[in-house]
Coordinates of all heavy atoms in Angstrom, one line a residue:
Q173 N 8.2 18.0 -14.1 CA 8.2 18.8 -13.1 C 8.2 18.2 -11.7 O 8.0 18.9 -10.7 CB 7.0 19.8 -13.2 CG 7.0 20.7 -14.5 CD 8.2 21.6 -14.5 OE1 8.6 22.3 -13.7 NE2 8.9 21.3 -15.7
G174 N 8.4 16.9 -11.7 CA 8.3 16.2 -10.4 C 9.4 16.7 -9.5 O 10.6 16.9 -9.8
Q175 N 9.0 16.9 -8.2 CA 10.0 17.3 -7.2 C 9.4 16.9 -5.9 O 8.3 16.7 -5.7 CB 10.1 18.8 -7.2 CG 9.0 19.7 -7.1 CD 9.3 21.2 -7.2 OE1 10.1 21.7 -6.5 NE2 8.7 21.8 -8.3
F176 N 10.4 16.7 -4.9 CA 9.9 16.3 -3.5 C 9.2 17.3 -2.8 O 9.3 18.5 -3.0 CB 11.2 15.8 -2.8 CG 11.8 14.6 -3.4 CD1 13.2 14.7 -3.8 CD2 11.2 13.4 -3.6 CE1 13.8 13.6 -4.4 CE2 11.8 12.4 -4.2 CZ 13.1 12.4 -4.6
A177 N 8.2 17.0 -2.0 CA 7.5 17.8 -1.2 C 8.2 18.6 -0.3 O 9.2 18.1 0.4 CB 6.3 17.0 -0.4
P178 N 7.8 19.9 0.1 CA 8.6 20.7 1.0 C 8.8 20.1 2.3 O 9.9 20.2 2.9 CB 7.8 22.0 1.0 CG 7.0 22.1 -0.2 CD 6.8 20.6 -0.6
G179 N 7.8 19.3 2.9 CA 8.0 18.9 4.2 C 9.0 17.7 4.3 O 9.5 17.4 5.5
V180 N 9.3 17.1 3.1 CA 10.3 16.0 3.2 C 11.4 16.2 2.3 O 12.2 15.2 2.0 CB 9.6 14.5 2.8 CG1 8.5 14.4 3.9 CG2 9.0 14.7 1.5
S181 N 11.6 17.4 1.8 CA 12.5 17.6 0.7 C 14.1 17.4 1.2 O 14.8 16.9 0.4 CB 12.4 19.0 0.1 OG 12.5 20.0 1.1
Q182 N 14.2 17.8 2.4 CA 15.6 17.7 2.9 C 16.0 16.3 3.2 O 17.1 15.9 2.6 CB 15.7 18.5 4.3 CG 17.2 18.7 4.7 CD 18.0 19.4 3.7 OE1 17.8 20.4 3.3 NE2 19.1 18.6 3.1
I183 N 15.3 15.5 3.7 CA 15.6 14.1 3.9 C 15.6 13.3 2.7 O 16.4 12.5 2.4 CB 14.7 13.4 5.0 CG1 15.2 12.0 5.2 CG2 13.2 13.3 4.5 CD1 14.6 11.3 6.5
M184 N 14.7 13.7 1.7 CA 14.6 13.0 0.4 C 15.9 13.3 -0.4 O 16.5 12.6 -1.1 CB 13.4 13.2 -0.4 CG 12.2 12.6 0.3 SD 12.3 10.7 0.5 CE 12.8 10.2 -1.3
S185 N 16.2 14.6 -0.3 CA 17.5 15.1 -1.1 C 18.7 14.4 -0.5 O 19.6 13.9 -1.3 CB 17.6 16.7 -0.9 OG 16.6 17.3 -1.6
N186 N 18.8 14.3 0.8 CA 19.9 13.6 1.5 C 20.0 12.2 1.0 O 21.0 11.6 0.7 CB 20.0 13.8 2.9 CG 20.1 15.2 3.4 OD1 20.7 16.1 2.7 ND2 19.7 15.5 4.6
L187 N 18.9 11.5 1.1 CA 18.7 10.0 0.8 C 19.0 9.8 -0.7 O 19.8 8.9 -1.0 CB 17.4 9.6 1.0 CG 17.0 9.3 2.5 CD1 15.6 9.1 2.7 CD2 17.8 8.0 3.0
T188 N 18.4 10.6 -1.7 CA 18.7 10.4 -3.0 C 20.1 10.7 -3.4 O 20.7 10.0 -4.1 CB 17.8 11.5 -3.8 OG1 16.4 11.3 -3.6 CG2 18.1 11.2 -5.3
S189 N 20.8 11.7 -2.7 CA 22.1 11.9 -3.1 C 23.1 10.7 -2.6 O 23.9 10.3 -3.2 CB 22.6 13.3 -2.5 OG 21.9 14.4 -2.9
F190 N 22.7 10.3 -1.4 CA 23.4 9.2 -0.9 C 23.4 7.9 -1.7 O 24.3 7.2 -2.1 CB 23.1 8.9 0.6 CG 23.9 7.8 1.2 CD1 25.4 8.1 1.5 CD2 23.5 6.5 1.5 CE1 26.2 7.2 2.1 CE2 24.4 5.7 2.0 CZ 25.6 6.0 2.3
L191 N 22.1 7.6 -2.0 CA 21.9 6.4 -2.9 C 22.6 6.5 -4.2 O 23.1 5.4 -4.7 CB 20.3 6.2 -3.1 CG 19.5 5.9 -1.9 CD1 18.0 5.9 -2.3 CD2 19.9 4.7 -1.2
Y192 N 22.5 7.7 -4.8 CA 23.2 7.9 -6.0 C 24.6 7.7 -5.9 O 25.4 7.1 -6.8 CB 22.9 9.4 -6.6 CG 23.5 9.5 -8.0 CD1 22.9 9.1 -9.1 CD2 24.7 10.2 -8.2 CE1 23.4 9.3 -10.4 CE2 25.3 10.4 -9.4 CZ 24.7 9.9 -10.5 OH 25.3 10.2 -11.7
S193 N 25.2 8.1 -4.9 CA 26.7 8.0 -4.6 C 27.2 6.5 -4.5 O 28.3 6.3 -4.7 CB 27.1 8.9 -3.4 OG 26.7 8.1 -2.2
I194 N 26.4 5.8 -4.1 CA 26.7 4.3 -3.9 C 26.1 3.4 -5.1 O 26.2 2.2 -5.0 CB 26.3 3.8 -2.5 CG1 24.8 3.9 -2.3 CG2 26.9 4.5 -1.4 CD1 24.2 3.2 -1.0
G195 N 25.6 4.1 -6.1 CA 25.0 3.4 -7.2 C 23.7 2.6 -7.0 O 23.5 1.6 -7.7
S196 N 22.9 3.0 -6.1 CA 21.7 2.3 -5.7 C 20.5 2.8 -6.2 O 20.5 4.0 -6.3 CB 21.6 2.1 -4.1 OG 20.4 1.4 -3.8
P197 N 19.4 2.1 -6.6 CA 18.2 2.6 -7.1 C 17.4 3.1 -5.9 O 17.6 2.6 -4.7 CB 17.5 1.4 -7.9 CG 18.1 0.2 -7.1 CD 19.5 0.6 -6.6
L198 N 16.4 4.0 -6.2 CA 15.4 4.3 -5.3 C 14.2 3.4 -5.5 O 13.8 3.1 -6.6 CB 14.9 5.6 -5.5 CG 13.8 6.2 -4.5 CD1 14.2 6.3 -3.2 CD2 13.3 7.6 -5.0
L199 N 13.6 2.7 -4.4 CA 12.5 1.8 -4.6 C 11.3 2.7 -4.3 O 11.1 3.4 -3.4 CB 12.6 0.8 -3.5 CG 13.5 -0.5 -3.7 CD1 13.1 -1.3 -4.9 CD2 15.0 0.0 -3.8
I200 N 10.3 2.6 -5.4 CA 9.2 3.4 -5.3 C 7.8 2.6 -5.3 O 7.8 1.5 -5.9 CB 9.2 4.5 -6.4 CG1 9.2 3.7 -7.8 CG2 10.4 5.4 -6.3 CD1 9.2 4.7 -8.9
N201 N 6.9 3.0 -4.6 CA 5.5 2.5 -4.8 C 4.6 3.3 -5.6 O 4.4 4.5 -5.2 CB 4.9 2.3 -3.3 CG 5.8 1.4 -2.4 OD1 6.4 0.5 -3.0 ND2 5.7 1.6 -1.1
V202 N 4.0 2.9 -6.7 CA 3.3 3.5 -7.7 C 2.0 3.0 -7.9 O 1.7 1.9 -8.3 CB 4.2 3.5 -9.0 CG1 3.4 4.3 -10.1 CG2 5.6 4.1 -8.9
Y203 N 1.0 3.8 -7.6 CA -0.5 3.4 -7.5 C -1.3 4.3 -8.4 O -1.8 5.3 -7.8 CB -1.1 3.2 -6.2 CG -0.5 1.9 -5.4 CD1 0.5 2.0 -4.6 CD2 -1.2 0.8 -5.5 CE1 0.9 0.9 -3.9 CE2 -0.9 -0.3 -4.8 CZ 0.3 -0.3 -4.0 OH 0.6 -1.4 -3.3
P204 N -1.4 4.1 -9.6 CA -2.4 5.0 -10.4 C -3.8 4.8 -9.9 O -4.5 5.8 -10.0 CB -2.2 4.3 -11.8 CG -0.9 3.7 -12.0 CD -0.6 3.3 -10.5
F205 N -4.2 3.8 -9.3 CA -5.4 3.6 -8.7 C -5.8 4.7 -7.8 O -6.9 5.3 -7.8 CB -5.6 2.2 -8.1 CG -7.1 2.1 -7.4 CD1 -8.1 1.9 -8.1 CD2 -7.1 2.3 -6.0 CE1 -9.4 1.8 -7.4 CE2 -8.3 2.3 -5.3 CZ -9.4 2.0 -6.1
F206 N -4.8 5.0 -6.8 CA -5.1 6.0 -5.8 C -5.2 7.4 -6.4 O -5.7 8.2 -5.9 CB -4.1 5.7 -4.6 CG -4.3 4.6 -3.7 CD1 -3.4 3.6 -3.7 CD2 -5.5 4.5 -3.1 CE1 -3.6 2.5 -3.0 CE2 -5.7 3.4 -2.3 CZ -4.9 2.4 -2.3
A207 N -4.3 7.6 -7.4 CA -4.4 8.9 -8.1 C -5.6 9.0 -8.8 O -6.2 10.2 -8.7 CB -3.2 9.0 -9.1
L208 N -6.3 8.1 -9.4 CA -7.5 8.2 -9.9 C -8.5 8.4 -9.0 O -9.5 9.3 -9.1 CB -7.9 6.8 -10.8 CG -9.3 6.6 -11.2 CD1 -9.6 7.6 -12.3 CD2 -9.5 5.2 -11.8
V209 N -8.6 7.8 -7.8 CA -9.6 7.9 -6.6 C -9.5 9.3 -6.1 O -10.7 10.0 -5.8 CB -9.4 6.8 -5.7 CG1 -10.3 7.1 -4.4 CG2 -9.7 5.5 -6.1
S210 N -8.4 9.9 -6.1 CA -8.2 11.2 -5.6 C -8.5 12.3 -6.4 O -9.0 13.5 -6.1 CB -6.8 11.4 -5.1 OG -5.9 11.4 -6.1
E211 N -8.5 12.1 -7.8 CA -8.8 13.1 -8.8 C -9.7 12.5 -9.9 O -9.1 12.6 -11.1 CB -7.6 13.7 -9.3 CG -6.7 14.5 -8.3 CD -5.6 15.3 -8.9 OE1 -5.9 16.2 -9.6 OE2 -4.5 14.8 -8.8
P212 N -10.7 12.0 -9.7 CA -11.6 11.3 -10.7 C -12.0 12.3 -11.8 O -12.4 11.8 -13.0 CB -12.7 10.7 -10.0 CG -12.9 11.6 -8.7 CD -11.5 11.9 -8.3
D213 N -12.1 13.6 -11.5 CA -12.5 14.5 -12.6 C -11.4 15.0 -13.6 O -11.7 15.6 -14.6 CB -13.2 15.8 -11.9 CG -14.4 15.5 -11.1 OD1 -15.1 14.6 -11.4 OD2 -14.6 16.2 -10.1
H214 N -10.2 14.6 -13.1 CA -9.0 15.0 -14.0 C -8.3 13.9 -14.6 O -7.4 14.0 -15.4 CB -8.0 15.8 -13.1 CG -8.7 17.2 -12.6 ND1 -9.1 17.2 -11.4 CD2 -8.9 18.3 -13.2 CE1 -9.7 18.5 -11.1 NE2 -9.5 19.1 -12.2
I215 N -8.6 12.6 -14.1 CA -7.8 11.5 -14.5 C -8.8 10.5 -15.1 O -9.9 10.1 -14.4 CB -7.0 10.8 -13.5 CG1 -6.0 11.7 -12.9 CG2 -6.5 9.5 -13.9 CD1 -5.1 11.2 -11.7
S216 N -8.7 9.9 -16.2 CA -9.6 9.0 -16.8 C -9.3 7.6 -16.4 O -8.1 7.3 -16.3 CB -9.7 9.1 -18.3 OG -8.4 8.6 -19.0
L217 N -10.3 6.8 -16.4 CA -10.0 5.4 -16.1 C -9.2 4.7 -17.2 O -8.3 3.9 -16.9 CB -11.4 4.7 -16.0 CG -11.4 3.2 -15.7 CD1 -10.8 2.9 -14.3 CD2 -12.8 2.6 -15.7
E218 N -9.4 5.0 -18.4 CA -8.6 4.4 -19.6 C -7.1 4.9 -19.3 O -6.3 4.0 -19.5 CB -9.0 5.0 -20.8 CG -10.5 4.5 -21.3 CD -11.6 5.2 -20.5 OE1 -11.3 6.2 -19.9 OE2 -12.6 4.6 -20.5
Y219 N -6.8 6.1 -18.9 CA -5.5 6.4 -18.7 C -4.7 5.7 -17.6 O -3.6 5.3 -17.7 CB -5.5 8.0 -18.3 CG -4.0 8.6 -18.3 CD1 -3.1 8.3 -19.3 CD2 -3.7 9.4 -17.3 CE1 -1.8 9.0 -19.2 CE2 -2.5 10.1 -17.2 CZ -1.6 9.8 -18.1 OH -0.3 10.4 -18.1
A220 N -5.5 5.4 -16.5 CA -5.1 4.7 -15.4 C -4.9 3.2 -15.7 O -4.1 2.5 -15.1 CB -6.0 4.8 -14.2
L221 N -5.8 2.7 -16.6 CA -5.8 1.1 -16.9 C -5.0 0.8 -18.2 O -5.1 -0.3 -18.7 CB -7.2 0.7 -17.1 CG -8.1 0.7 -15.8 CD1 -9.4 0.3 -16.2 CD2 -7.5 -0.3 -14.8
F222 N -4.0 1.7 -18.7 CA -3.2 1.3 -19.8 C -4.0 1.2 -21.0 O -3.8 0.3 -22.0 CB -2.5 0.1 -19.6 CG -1.3 0.1 -18.5 CD1 -1.6 -0.2 -17.2 CD2 0.0 0.5 -18.8 CE1 -0.6 0.0 -16.3 CE2 0.9 0.6 -17.9 CZ 0.8 0.3 -16.7
Q223 N -5.2 1.8 -21.2 CA -6.1 1.6 -22.3 C -6.2 2.8 -23.2 O -7.0 2.8 -24.2 CB -7.5 1.3 -21.7 CG -7.5 -0.2 -21.1 CD -9.0 -0.5 -20.7 OE1 -9.7 0.3 -20.1 NE2 -9.3 -1.7 -21.0
S224 N -5.5 4.0 -23.0 CA -5.6 5.0 -23.8 C -4.9 4.7 -25.2 O -3.8 4.2 -25.1 CB -4.9 6.2 -23.2 OG -5.6 6.7 -22.0
Q225 N -5.6 5.1 -26.3 CA -5.1 4.9 -27.6 C -4.3 5.9 -28.1 O -3.6 5.9 -29.1 CB -6.2 4.5 -28.6 CG -7.1 3.3 -28.1 CD -6.2 2.0 -28.1 OE1 -5.5 1.7 -29.0 NE2 -6.2 1.3 -26.9
T226 N -4.5 7.1 -27.6 CA -3.8 8.3 -27.9 C -3.0 9.1 -26.7 O -3.5 8.7 -25.6 CB -4.7 9.4 -28.6 OG1 -5.7 9.6 -27.6 CG2 -5.3 8.8 -29.8
P227 N -2.1 9.7 -26.9 CA -1.4 10.3 -25.8 C -2.3 11.2 -24.9 O -3.1 11.9 -25.5 CB -0.2 11.2 -26.4 CG -0.1 10.6 -27.7 CD -1.4 10.1 -28.2
V228 N -2.3 11.1 -23.7 CA -3.1 11.8 -22.8 C -2.3 13.0 -22.2 O -2.8 14.1 -22.0 CB -3.5 11.0 -21.5 CG1 -4.3 11.8 -20.5 CG2 -4.5 9.8 -22.0
V229 N -1.0 12.9 -22.1 CA -0.1 14.0 -21.5 C 1.0 14.2 -22.5 O 1.7 13.2 -22.8 CB 0.4 13.7 -20.1 CG1 1.5 14.8 -19.7 CG2 -0.7 13.7 -19.2
I230 N 1.2 15.3 -23.0 CA 2.5 15.7 -23.8 C 3.3 16.6 -22.9 O 2.8 17.6 -22.4 CB 2.0 16.4 -25.1 CG1 1.1 15.5 -25.9 CG2 3.3 16.7 -25.9 CD1 1.7 14.3 -26.5

Side-chain angles (χ1 to χ4, degrees):
Q173 297 304 304
Q175 58 185 299
F176 295 121
V180 297
S181 61
Q182 189 59 60
I183 188 170
M184 288 306 303
S185 293
N186 292 342
L187 282 167
T188 300
S189 297
F190 185 74
L191 295 178
Y192 183 80
S193 74
I194 60 175
S196 181
L198 177 67
L199 284 293
I200 60 176
N201 298 333
V202 177
Y203 284 92
F205 174 80
F206 288 117
L208 170 66
V209 169
S210 66
E211 296 188 72
D213 294 334
H214 298 97
I215 298 173
S216 72
L217 182 63
E218 290 75 20
Y219 187 47
L221 287 177
F222 293 89
Q223 292 185 312
S224 297
Q225 300 300 308
T226 58
V228 175
V229 173
I230 302 295

